[in-house]
Every structure is written in structure tokens, then in C-alpha cells.
Amino acid sequence: MFRAALIILFCILMPSAVQAQDHQLFIGAPARVCEAVPGQGAPTDFSADGCYEALFYKVDPQGREIWVEHVFEAKPSLLSSDKPLGLFVSAKASSAAFLNGVPLGSNGTPGPSPSSEVAGDMDAVFFVPEGTLRAGQNRLIMQMSSMHGAGALDTPIHVVALAPYRDPRKPGVGTWIAIVTFGLFLGAFVFFGVSALRGKERELSATIAIASLAIALQLAGEAMRDLTPYPYPLHVWRLTAILAFAMIVGLSLFSYVLQLLFKPFATRRYAAVAVVLAVMLISAALTAGYDYKTQLSLIAATVAAGIAGLLAGWQGDRRGWWVAGAAAMLVVLIRWLGGMFLDLYIYYMMAALLLWLLFRQARRGGTGAEQDNAAAEPEALQRIELTSSGKVEFVDAVNIIRFSGAGDYVEVLLSSGRSSLYNGSLAALERELPASFIRVHRSHIVNASLVTSLVRDSAGTGQLLMSDGSEVPVSRRNLASVRDALTRN
């Protein structure tokens, strides 16, 4: 799987004509590795004691200086090509290359210590003079060292290949698509940022704005490699930044789901986000490989969103089942696509999600005067949708005295004295009610504007007297919050 991902990555970096056949990858081929001896040149005998064989992508020059030999037969398409050739090297290391005894050049200066090494770029190409590559056996020798930069990678060598010579950072079609997508993310950040400042759903809009900015910065970190050269010591910092932005994206989406399904429970929502963040940090600390760290962080947020969806679904909120199903599918995609999800599909997914949210927000009035007027509308004029046996009834909130749990149903008592049973649960209904309704007991929700008095019992519980003369119990756990809510209302 990893080797396939590397091949795909290299093919993306090459122009379409090269992708067909005019390149030869060495990254998955066996090579001989020898530790460099200070003061000596390349080993004359790579089979000597102390040398060993390893696949190219498993060769590790971090913290040392090494020599690597690879013997190969050139592809006929390269030998017959009329284009100049280049040796493409992508590695967290400084390097020098020799093909059949001909020096191809150096990327930085390899050395046995930080003071003697000059750090090279993360991506480099060495020009191969005409006639250097020949039919039959060819001998590639590379001197490599990696003495700078914080942190270490499991696979510091990403690409070693022969192909027609070109600038490894020449933007392609994928780069321009990334730039357009980056613009979309920034546009969403501005739109929802303004919505957070002016709109009614400030927390929800702010969460989307944060997710938009984080995914934009994550994409910028990914696209940076195609647009500008940078020395290899910065590579770990770049990967760390991408991981951090991915964590913020995952946490923002999880927070968005919680706000949709459990809006009244702010403290619990914040605690759940904190728990998921702790899981992300622990998994990142214990896991090797930045791709795996990022995958696990996104999976942690997605699984948590799925659990939240299941809880909401069991409490009667049908949206929860949709959230749980989408989360399960996303976990499968992240694990199945692996690096391709992180490099490509996450940006397509976020672009589609933000376009849908922009369209949804526009239909609801955007951030202009209509939304401001809606925010100023008295809660008493809001209407509550109630369903019973396929019949939907809309009731003005001002006419509802209280809701009481009745098994699998909810009993609604109206100011007219009429009461009816409706489908659903109190937990699901609570999330849809305006702020004037408060949960006073596990079995009761009341209209705070119709409470006449609150009496505290010696046992620590309480009793509410409603405007119609009925009494509603207040649980010991809810007494303080009920008192505060009645004071605000």
C-alpha cells in the first residue's frame, strides 16, 4: 500500500506525457548501504562487512552519513528518448549522485556532522548528461546525510527516479485546482465569519468559519511543496502544521455536529470536544508516521461524531441516525483511501460540504437584514411542530404550558386546557424548543414565561406552580439551573 502511494505521488508530480511510460522508479528496489568513513570517498566494495541490503524507501540517512548503491537495467523507453533526463530525488536529506562514475551534482552538501553538512532542498533533480545512461547494467551511487531538523521520519526517502528533466516544482493542473479550492475555503471563512459577527447562530457560524480557515491552511501546507522549494529541515515542521490543521478541522466538524444535535448542553459539548482533543494528542504522540497520525486524528473526531449521532437517534432525533451513518462511511473511506484521502479527497469533501452550507445559509437569509430581523422576532411568536400518527400540528409556543414524558410519547398541555400525545421524546424535543422552555425534571419541560412560583422543599427538590394552577416537580439536580433560568426570563 505504501509503495503504491509513493508511485502515485511521483506520477502526480510528473507531466502527463511522462506518466505514461517515460520514468523509472527505484524507490521500491533493493540497494546496498554502507556507513560513510570520514575522510574517504565512496566505498569501492559495497559487499564489504558492515554494508547491508535494503529497499530504497527503507534506507535511513537521519543522524548519519551513508553511501547507497543501486545496480539496474535502464528501461528501453528512457534509452530511446530524445528528451534530456534527470534523476529526481525527494528526501529529508542532503545528497550527491553519481551515475556510472559520472557526477550528477549535489543537493546541499552531505557530511558526517551538522557543522559539515549543508542542508539541501526536500525535492531536487540532477541533470543526467547525454550518453551517461547506457544499455545493460547501470550503477547509481548516492551519498546522503540528514543532520538537521527536529524530529525523524519513518521513511525519509520518498522518491528516487529517472525521468525526462523538468523543474520538480512546476505547477500542474492539480496545483491550479488546489488554488481555486483554497479560494473557496477562504471565501467560506469570510462568509461564516461575518455570519458569526452578525447572525443569530453565532457559535455555529464561528465553528464553520474555523473549519474553513483550518482546511485552507492545511491545503496551503500540502500545495506548498509544488510551488516553492524549501530546505529539508523544514519538512517535519510542515508535516506537523498539516497535522495540527487537520486536528482543528476534525474538532470543528465534531463541534458542529454536537451543536446540531445537543445545542442546549453547552458544557457537555465543550467537555466532549476536549476529550476528543486529548485522544488526538495521545494517538499522535504514540503513533509513528505523520500520515497515520493525521488519519487517526480524523478518525477519532469522526467516531465521536458517530457516537453522538447514535445517542441523538436513540433519544428520538432522526438526524442522529443520518450523522451516525455518514460517520461510519467516512471512517471506512479514511482507512481505505489512506494517504490519497489526506492528499486529495478530504479537500473535495470539505469543498462540497462548505458549498452546501453556503447554499443553505443563503436560502435562510444570509447575514443581512432578513436574518437580523428574524433574530429580533419574539420567541413567543415561534411555532412548534408536533407530530402524532402521521398528523402534523403547528402550535404557537406562547400557548404551551408544559411537556411531560409519557412512555414513548410526549404529553403537551396547552393554555386552553387541552392536552394531547405526540410522537418523539423529551430529549429530542428539547433541542428544538426556544430558550423560554426549560427542562426542570427528566419527565417535564415547562414554559418559563407561564411559571407563577417556585417552592423549594426540605429534601432539596422543588415544585413549580404554573399559570393554569398545575404543579410540576423540579429535581434536585436541576433546581439551581431552573432558578437561574426563571430569573433571566
Side-chain angles (χ1 to χ4, degrees):
M1 181 68 181
F2 180 78
R3 288 172 60 186
L6 288 174
I7 292 172
I8 293 172
L9 173 63
F10 181 76
C11 291
I12 289 174
L13 293 175
M14 305 301 293
S16 57
V18 174
Q19 291 182 24
Q21 58 181 358
D22 295 340
H23 65 269
Q24 186 167 354
L25 293 168
F26 303 136
I27 193 67
R32 295 291 301 178
V33 183
C34 298
E35 295 283 347
V37 178
Q40 293 186 8
T44 57
D45 183 7
F46 276 86
S47 63
D49 291 343
C51 298
Y52 59 93
E53 186 172 292
L55 297 179
F56 232 124
Y57 75 87
K58 291 187 176 181
V59 174
D60 187 1
Q62 296 173 114
R64 58 184 182 153
E65 182 186 12
I66 58 174
W67 289 88
V68 184
E69 177 196 50
H70 175 58
V71 178
F72 65 98
E73 290 192 5
K75 290 180 64 173
S77 59
L78 292 178
L79 293 170
S80 61
S81 175
D82 57 355
K83 301 175 183 178
L85 297 179
L87 176 70
F88 291 79
V89 178
S90 176
K92 180 181 173 287
S94 299
S95 57
F98 307 83
L99 180 60
N100 295 325
V102 177
L104 302 183
S106 63
N107 173 35
T109 304
S113 66
S115 60
S116 61
E117 180 197 84
V118 177
D121 288 342
M122 185 66 196
D123 301 294
V125 57
F126 302 101
F127 176 72
V128 178
E130 185 177 357
T132 305
L133 187 69
R134 59 197 183 201
Q137 284 195 340
N138 292 267
R139 188 178 187 225
L140 173 65
I141 295 179
M142 297 191 68
Q143 179 188 11
M144 308 184 80
S145 68
S146 181
M147 300 292 181
H148 297 278
L153 300 180
D154 281 353
T155 52
I157 301 178
H158 299 168
V159 170
V160 178
L162 280 172
Y165 187 90
R166 65 179 287 269
D167 185 344
R169 284 167 295 277
K170 182 179 180 181
V173 175
T175 305
W176 297 115
I177 293 175
I179 292 173
V180 172
T181 308
F182 177 79
L184 169 64
F185 293 154
L186 284 187
F189 166 67
V190 172
F191 180 87
F192 287 105
V194 173
S195 297
L197 294 175
R198 300 181 57 188
K200 182 179 178 181
E201 297 179 336
R202 286 184 170 85
E203 185 181 2
L204 206 61
S205 295
T207 301
I208 302 172
I210 292 171
S212 302
L213 180 59
I215 195 66
L217 294 175
Q218 183 180 344
L219 177 57
E222 290 284 1
M224 168 186 173
R225 193 166 177 178
D226 287 344
L227 298 175
T228 181
Y230 63 90
Y232 81 78
L234 294 181
H235 190 62
V236 171
W237 293 109
R238 170 180 167 269
L239 295 178
T240 302
I242 291 173
L243 171 61
F245 293 137
M247 286 182 174
I248 295 173
V249 171
L251 290 172
S252 299
L253 294 180
F254 176 49
S255 177
Y256 179 80
V257 167
L258 292 180
Q259 291 174 59
L260 288 180
L261 301 178
F262 302 100
K263 186 175 182 179
F265 308 103
T267 302
R268 297 180 186 178
R269 286 192 281 109
Y270 300 149
V273 172
V275 169
V276 173
L277 174 59
V279 172
M280 288 180 172
L281 294 175
I282 292 172
S283 65
L286 299 179
T287 306
Y290 277 87
D291 273 2
Y292 292 127
K293 294 175 189 287
T294 307
Q295 285 181 43
L296 289 178
S297 295
L298 293 174
I299 287 173
T302 305
V303 170
I307 293 173
L310 291 175
L311 291 174
W314 284 330
Q315 293 176 358
D317 190 339
R318 295 178 181 177
R319 296 175 302 176
W321 299 120
W322 289 101
V323 170
M329 292 178 60
L330 185 55
V331 169
V332 172
L333 284 176
I334 294 173
R335 290 298 300 146
W336 178 41
L337 296 173
M340 287 298 293
F341 180 86
L342 300 178
D343 294 338
L344 186 65
Y345 291 105
I346 185 175
Y347 304 109
Y348 291 160
M349 182 197 75
M350 286 296 297
L353 175 61
L354 291 174
L355 284 173
W356 177 76
L357 290 174
L358 286 167
F359 175 74
R360 178 172 174 265
Q361 189 83 347
R363 289 190 61 185
R364 295 174 60 185
T367 62
E370 292 182 10
Q371 189 175 16
D372 293 336
N373 292 336
E377 183 181 352
E379 286 187 335
L381 297 182
Q382 294 187 27
R383 309 189 78 196
I384 308 301
E385 178 183 328
L386 302 170
T387 305
S388 178
S389 302
K391 175 185 176 183
V392 178
E393 183 177 356
F394 297 92
V395 181
D396 289 338
V398 70
N399 294 326
I400 299 174
I401 295 178
R402 59 180 168 85
F403 298 91
S404 299
D408 295 332
Y409 298 89
V410 173
E411 180 185 14
V412 182
L413 180 63
L414 304 178
S415 56
S416 64
R418 182 171 67 90
S419 65
S420 301
L421 290 177
Y422 292 90
N423 299 336
S425 66
L426 284 177
L429 184 62
E430 183 181 8
R431 288 187 284 271
E432 305 297 329
L433 292 172
S436 58
F437 285 82
I438 55 177
R439 185 74 171 261
V440 300
H441 188 276
R442 68 177 183 176
S443 301
H444 300 284
I445 298 174
V446 303
N447 188 340
S449 61
L450 298 181
V451 173
T452 302
S453 64
L454 168 63
V455 178
R456 183 180 185 279
D457 300 331
S458 58
T461 57
Q463 291 287 332
L464 288 176
L465 180 63
M466 306 303 296
S467 60
D468 66 336
S470 62
E471 293 185 351
V472 180
V474 181
S475 66
R476 182 185 295 105
R477 184 183 65 178
N478 291 337
L479 187 62
S481 60
V482 170
R483 185 187 296 110
D484 292 341
L486 292 176
T487 301
R488 291 195 300 271
N489 283 277

